[in-house]
Amino acid sequence: MIRSGDTALYWRAQRERNRGLLGLFAVVAAFLALYAYLFPGLLTVAGISKFAQSWLPLALVAMAQAILMLTGGISLAIGATVSLGAVIAATTMTGYLGVAGGVVAVSAAGLAIGALCGVIAIRLRLPAIIVTLAAAFIIAGLALLILPRPGGAIPGWFSDLLAGNTPAALFILIFIALLWKLYLATPLGLSLYAAGENPVGAYRAGVPVDAARIAAYAISGLLSTLAGLFIAAQTGSGDPVIGQAFTLNSIAAAVLGGVGFLGGRGTMRGAIAGSLLLSVMINVMFFLGFSPVAQYVAQGLIIIGAVALPQITARFRRTR
């Protein structure tokens, strides 16, 4: 039976988690409107499909990073894990394993690598940033061992299914977001915020803090390799260094979405919105004729502003 006090506490927690998101959604909507004005083809099925395909890998790695940051962790191995997922997909799907076996191999690799990083960081009490940095080198080397240079292949029908002229990428993202909501209703999902916000108090209250954190690492690895699989489907082949840029971009998207570095603050919808803002920004700047250097500078300034503004607002509230 749900008591009125529980309901009030739930909505208070939701308001805290959603603080600042309305502003982010407004900025995202403004950029989407500007993008649609600059590129009217966006408002067609083909336009939405292509944009969703360019956005999905970043959305997946933003979710992968956000789930770790919610528990107070972080991963510098996401980019290498994306590359590993791409090369596993490209070297298995046209072999005897087939597409189904390739998807299982990619998923199993992501879960295993993520869980192993989690066990090492959590059980041995080592800093996550050091563990994942070391893991990034190992995983990158493993990707190069599997596929030393760009190559391999993805079955044409599978590439068409995921990266053709249908909005499959958008449906995949919606499906994964729904799975995330279901995960939050499980015991490990319910423990996620407590493990990040107040791990000692949560542990004393009987919350499975270590299990929640290790599960977060496993899910993060799974999302990262799935991002690699999708990129391989887009390009029709695998590249052992394709994921390099995703590590920093995943952090930027999560931070833009209001996910805090210290754990327990932020939402997954914020991280997804942050990844959407990054993707739209890149497209808008391209159509406005920004040079690549100017695009990097503009992205950096916007990210700094997005991180600094909530801090300045909070400090202003405290001084009133």
Side-chain angles (χ1 to χ4, degrees):
M1 179 178 179
I2 299 175
R3 295 170 297 182
S4 60
D6 296 337
T7 305
L9 184 61
Y10 170 80
W11 287 112
R12 191 170 66 187
Q14 290 297 317
R15 282 196 297 273
E16 284 296 319
R17 291 174 186 174
N18 289 320
R19 178 173 291 175
L21 280 187
L22 288 179
L24 173 64
F25 292 154
V27 173
V28 170
F31 268 94
L32 279 173
L34 178 59
Y35 183 33
Y37 172 75
L38 294 170
F39 177 55
L42 175 68
L43 302 179
T44 64
V45 174
I48 292 173
S49 301
K50 293 303 177 187
F51 176 73
Q53 289 163 20
S54 67
W55 171 35
L56 180 61
L58 181 57
L60 292 178
V61 296
M63 295 177 75
Q65 195 66 265
I67 191 173
L68 294 179
M69 291 171 66
L70 288 174
T71 64
I74 194 168
S75 176
L76 298 183
I78 281 180
T81 311
V82 170
S83 299
L84 183 66
V87 300
I88 291 176
T91 53
T92 56
M93 288 189 169
T94 53
Y96 67 90
L97 287 179
V99 169
V103 172
V104 171
V106 169
S107 302
L111 284 170
I113 287 172
L116 184 59
C117 288
V119 167
I120 293 172
I122 304 303
R123 296 296 188 191
L124 300 182
R125 306 297 185 219
L126 296 176
I129 196 167
I130 301 299
V131 173
T132 56
L133 178 61
F137 289 114
I138 297 170
I139 297 167
L142 186 59
L144 284 167
L145 278 176
I146 296 173
L147 196 65
R149 60 187 62 85
I154 302 293
W157 68 267
F158 190 63
S159 289
D160 292 339
L161 178 67
L162 294 185
N165 290 321
T166 62
L170 186 60
F171 293 139
I172 291 171
L173 183 56
I174 293 171
F175 179 67
I176 292 175
L178 290 175
L179 289 180
W180 169 250
K181 296 296 289 184
L182 292 176
Y183 178 71
L184 280 184
T186 66
L188 287 180
L190 288 170
S191 307
L192 204 64
Y193 282 94
E197 190 168 14
N198 185 358
V200 175
Y203 178 77
R204 289 174 177 169
V207 172
V209 174
D210 286 359
R213 286 177 161 171
I214 292 171
Y217 274 93
I219 294 171
S220 175
L222 172 63
L223 291 171
S224 300
T225 51
L226 289 180
L229 186 156
F230 187 82
I231 293 171
Q234 276 183 307
T235 59
S237 62
D239 186 334
V241 295
I242 193 72
Q244 284 182 343
F246 281 101
T247 298
L248 292 181
N249 283 339
S250 67
I251 297 172
V255 171
L256 272 174
V259 182
F261 281 105
L262 300 180
R265 189 170 69 84
T267 63
M268 197 57 82
R269 53 183 168 274
I272 294 173
S275 67
L276 177 58
L277 179 57
L278 270 184
S279 295
V280 177
M281 274 194 321
I282 293 170
N283 285 289
V284 167
M285 285 189 283
F286 172 78
F287 277 100
L288 289 177
F290 280 45
S291 68
V293 174
Q295 290 183 29
Y296 283 124
V297 173
Q299 286 180 57
L301 291 174
I302 291 171
I303 291 169
I304 290 173
V307 174
L309 187 59
Q311 302 296 328
I312 295 171
T313 305
R315 189 171 298 175
F316 177 73
R317 284 202 193 97
R318 286 195 296 269
T319 56
R320 287 179 62 183

